[in-house]
Amino acid sequence: MGAGDVEMNQMVGSASRYEAADATGSIHIAVNRRALVLSVSITEGWRKKLAPDQFADALLGAYREALQTAISAADSGASGRPANQAIAKILRDYDDDDVHADWYTGVRAKLDRIRQRRKAIKEYAAEARGGLLDREVRGPNGYLTFQVRRGVLVGVTAAVPALRSASTDLLREDAMAAFRAANLAAEL
């Protein structure tokens, strides 16, 4: 990441929107604190800085930079991700001991709480994984295809010949629709 990229990757507003761009500054992606895509913008002159066969990698790079910006903000205490908050809630009072009349009742109650929390964590993990295994998601205009594994965007491919003449608006719409279809976009 070059010195100019630092300006592109920033927290905006009240730390609920995090923006980043690819190395050329042609593709900008904004995510929320839950790392869900809020917007994709593509500059009109992107073809002057980025060859069509480089577009997919640049889009993925901008997305990863936006995620990293949001994660860095969360790590620095700005906000936690919902998954971390849910697990923290489950584990929050793990060591709290209720006052019990005898030792055996206290140990038994603590073991029951541990079993309940383990069950809740397993249910949460199963719900989070549900329907998010390996798949491909295509944008409605056919410009972009996203490869998603376990709910994580791991690759982007593009129909390079079509990108040469694609309008910037249709390309942006295709990217946003693909993020939505992959369950990686925020509900607006």
Side-chain angles (χ1 to χ4, degrees):
M1 193 162 105
D5 296 331
V6 174
E7 296 169 11
M8 304 283 181
N9 305 328
Q10 59 184 334
M11 292 186 296
V12 179
S14 63
S16 60
R17 182 179 177 95
Y18 307 93
E19 291 185 16
D22 72 300
T24 68
S26 299
I27 303 169
H28 296 258
I29 294 183
V31 298
N32 64 14
R33 72 181 78 161
R34 295 178 59 203
L36 296 174
V37 175
L38 297 169
S39 67
V40 174
S41 25
I42 302 164
T43 61
E44 286 295 328
W46 70 268
R47 288 178 190 88
K48 294 176 185 170
K49 298 179 183 178
L50 194 62
D53 63 340
Q54 298 171 323
F55 186 88
D57 289 337
L59 179 69
L60 183 59
Y63 173 69
R64 287 180 176 163
E65 286 295 325
L67 288 182
Q68 187 59 48
T69 303
I71 290 167
S72 295
D75 286 346
S76 67
S79 65
R81 296 187 67 204
N84 294 341
Q85 291 172 354
I87 291 171
K89 181 179 180 207
I90 292 166
L91 299 174
R92 178 175 34 234
D93 56 358
Y94 175 79
D95 286 328
D96 286 350
D97 283 327
D98 294 330
V99 178
H100 296 284
D102 68 354
W103 178 83
Y104 180 76
T105 305
V107 170
R108 190 76 159 154
K110 191 169 196 168
L111 287 173
D112 288 342
R113 286 196 314 270
I114 291 169
R115 280 189 201 101
Q116 289 172 351
R117 286 183 179 89
R118 288 185 68 204
K119 182 181 176 188
I121 289 170
K122 285 180 183 178
E123 289 171 359
Y124 177 81
E127 183 180 310
R129 284 191 304 263
L132 299 177
L133 297 178
D134 298 348
R135 61 191 175 121
E136 283 192 346
V137 176
R138 296 189 197 305
N141 300 314
Y143 298 127
L144 301 167
T145 302
F146 288 5
Q147 291 80 38
V148 180
R149 286 198 188 105
R150 296 187 179 215
V152 176
L153 180 62
V154 296
V156 177
T157 56
V160 175
L163 289 184
R164 293 187 198 328
S165 61
S167 81
T168 302
D169 288 336
L170 284 178
L171 193 51
R172 181 192 56 75
E173 289 172 16
D174 208 54
M176 274 307 298
F179 278 116
R180 275 190 220 95
N183 296 321
L184 298 171
E187 299 283 329
L188 296 179

